[in-house]
Amino acid sequence: MTKVTLITGDGIGPEIAEATRRCVDATGAALEWETAEAGIDVMARLGTPLPESTIDSVRKNGIALKAPITTPVGTGFRSINVYLRQALDLYACVRPCKSYKGVRSKYSDIDLVVVRENTEDLYAGIEFAKGADETGELIDWLNAHSKRVISKTTGISIKPISVEGTERIVRYAFDYARKMGRRKVTSVHKANIMKFTDGLWLEVSREVAKSYPEIEFEDRIVDNMCMQLIQKPELYDVIVLPNLYGDILSDLCAGLVGGLGVAPGANIGLKGAIFEATHGSAPKYAGQNKVNPTAVILSGVLMLRHLGMVSEAERLEKAVASVIAEGKYVTYDLKEDRNDPSAVGTSEMADAIISRIATG
Ligand code: NAD
């Protein structure tokens, strides 16, 4: 039995975590779940949103399936999601965006993979608040050393991008492309403006690409990439991006395949991996047995593949695809009319997937 941590999250998290656990178990995968908590509900009870026991469990097991966790905007604790990725050095965020028949979208036949750097960039958490003493010192230093004058009322976020951080994520994207039989890697940046961060990213990307001559390489400026993805998504395959652009373009690519409800993801490092959906905790739907469990279930498919349980992964993905294609036992967001009374709940959609696994 392989032991796996199940982080149940908050908001819609607990209900989709349970639906996913049942679906994964129905494949017969030899997994033992260790349930762990995190999020605002735990915060209220234990005074911390991320108990040590949860981090310990992920460290010990090396693999976790995680439901979404709320990050209050502007106040409260920093994102637990970002913290976990940094604490465990899960440097590669892999988000496949694939069209499934039956999911309404303006596009069909999309098959893209977003590989997002997870530990650096503006997400590194190096921030200086407006008015703080150290911010004043930093502003004085910057005004003395650059040609710009920054006002004292400025807040500052730092964007670190290193050679080694870039090299390992671009290498990851190429290794992924090689392993999965993909043809092209596109590196995305804004090197024309941010020469010392995105410029470095581009230079390292070009250097790494030389070691993979069988895989096509190209680069795109991020604003152009957004337009290209909307106009000609079929031109792209594996897309590697720094943290912030990766976050934004992941949602764009999720939109191409029908929305966040069907967009899975994996955060992978040398010592572990956490599998989670691209979407958040959708607090307004919490506890209503209403939302679509597909994105977390497909994250479970990625986890099974990562663990080498390939036939279990394929059976689960096939069952999900079949239930969605049939369109009968699906949640409201997968119905043509979102108010369709025949839409089923989270748990009932999981039941349909489980019976489809049984019948093949
Ligand atoms: P969200 O993804 O929770 O919701 C965006 C929209 O998508 C909403 O309309 C929501 O109802 C819908 N939606 C999301 N998941 C769905 C599902 N499974 N089925 C059907 N509809 C679904 O994004 P948000 O509202 O910007 O964020 C809510 C909270 O989640 C914030 O605190 C945010 O920081 C957090 N968040 C967490 C993660 C994570 O845990 N990895 C990721 C993104 C956002």
Side-chain angles (χ1 to χ4, degrees):
M1 288 292 229
T2 302
K3 220 169 182 182
V4 165
T5 303
L6 179 66
I7 303 177
T8 49
D10 60 31
I12 56 170
E15 36 201 305
I16 45 180
E18 176 56 16
T20 301
R21 189 190 58 73
R22 291 199 293 119
C23 289
V24 172
D25 282 346
T27 67
L31 297 180
E32 188 187 329
W33 301 95
E34 189 168 276
T35 304
E37 294 179 299
I40 46 175
D41 304 340
V42 200
M43 174 81 177
R45 235 178 326 115
L46 303 179
T48 169
L50 185 61
E52 255 327 292
S53 55
T54 298
I55 306 181
D56 288 349
S57 171
V58 182
R59 281 216 171 94
K60 177 171 55 85
N61 297 327
I63 301 285
L65 185 68
K66 184 185 137 314
I69 297 173
T70 304
T71 306
V73 177
T75 56
F77 52 86
R78 267 191 179 283
S79 166
I80 296 179
N81 306 305
V82 175
Y83 178 84
L84 274 172
R85 291 170 203 155
Q86 286 175 352
L88 303 166
D89 200 23
L90 306 177
Y91 67 92
C93 178
V94 183
R95 288 172 166 169
C97 291
K98 188 166 147 186
S99 301
Y100 286 96
K101 192 168 165 279
V103 180
R104 272 183 328 286
S105 164
K106 292 193 166 56
Y107 302 85
S108 55
D109 295 329
I110 301 278
D111 187 9
L112 296 164
V113 181
V114 173
V115 178
R116 165 189 173 190
E117 202 288 324
N118 241 352
T119 62
E120 301 197 314
D121 197 358
L122 286 161
Y123 274 66
I126 310 170
E127 298 203 283
F128 296 87
K130 165 189 73 85
D133 289 347
E134 61 273 24
T135 313
E137 285 171 35
L138 181 60
I139 289 172
D140 289 343
W141 189 91
L142 289 171
N143 286 342
H145 289 83
S146 72
K147 294 188 185 84
R148 292 279 318 271
V149 176
I150 301 172
S151 107
K152 284 284 186 192
T153 62
T154 305
I156 299 180
S157 299
I158 303 285
K159 173 175 165 128
I161 294 202
S162 70
V163 170
E164 55 281 14
T166 306
E167 194 179 329
R168 69 177 178 172
I169 192 68
V170 178
R171 210 167 268 292
Y172 186 94
F174 273 100
D175 285 340
Y176 180 94
R178 190 177 261 173
K179 192 167 126 209
M180 306 303 268
R182 296 208 166 238
R183 67 193 155 85
K184 178 159 87 172
V185 172
T186 305
S187 175
V188 178
H189 58 85
K190 188 85 185 170
N192 50 332
I193 304 294
M194 283 165 279
K195 298 191 188 306
F196 300 138
T197 47
D198 289 30
L200 178 153
W201 168 277
L202 177 57
E203 195 186 312
V204 173
S205 295
R206 284 181 173 146
E207 207 46 49
V208 170
K210 289 181 189 160
S211 316
Y212 299 83
E214 79 281 18
I215 296 166
E216 193 187 332
F217 170 74
E218 63 184 9
D219 71 276
R220 288 282 180 278
I221 293 175
V222 63
D223 36 358
N224 178 30
M225 187 71 197
C226 292
M227 190 195 66
Q228 297 263 327
L229 281 169
I230 299 295
Q231 288 200 318
K232 309 175 228 173
E234 69 283 0
L235 294 185
Y236 298 95
D237 190 352
V238 176
I239 305 169
V240 63
L241 316 93
N243 210 336
L244 177 65
Y245 309 146
D247 189 21
I248 298 167
L249 267 70
S250 292
D251 275 36
L252 190 157
C253 291
L256 296 177
V257 296
L260 290 172
V262 291
N267 299 290
I268 298 175
L270 294 178
K271 292 191 196 135
I274 297 183
F275 297 82
E276 63 177 339
T278 299
H279 69 68
S281 58
K284 69 178 174 190
Y285 292 126
Q288 294 177 30
N289 187 39
K290 187 172 166 82
V291 294
N292 187 352
T294 302
V296 178
I297 296 174
L298 291 176
S299 303
V301 169
L302 298 179
M303 179 183 79
L304 289 170
R305 279 216 180 94
H306 182 84
L307 290 169
M309 300 178 177
V310 178
S311 73
E312 290 87 343
E314 276 169 9
R315 284 171 58 222
L316 181 51
E317 186 179 8
K318 206 168 135 214
V320 171
S322 155
V323 166
I324 293 177
E326 185 190 46
K328 203 166 165 192
Y329 303 106
V330 294
T331 46
Y332 74 99
D333 56 309
L334 293 174
K335 292 283 186 183
E336 202 153 331
D337 170 6
R338 288 168 79 90
N339 296 313
D340 186 336
S342 74
V344 302
T346 310
S347 170
E348 291 70 29
M349 184 165 172
D351 292 342
I353 293 167
I354 290 165
S355 54
R356 211 57 58 92
I357 293 170
T359 55

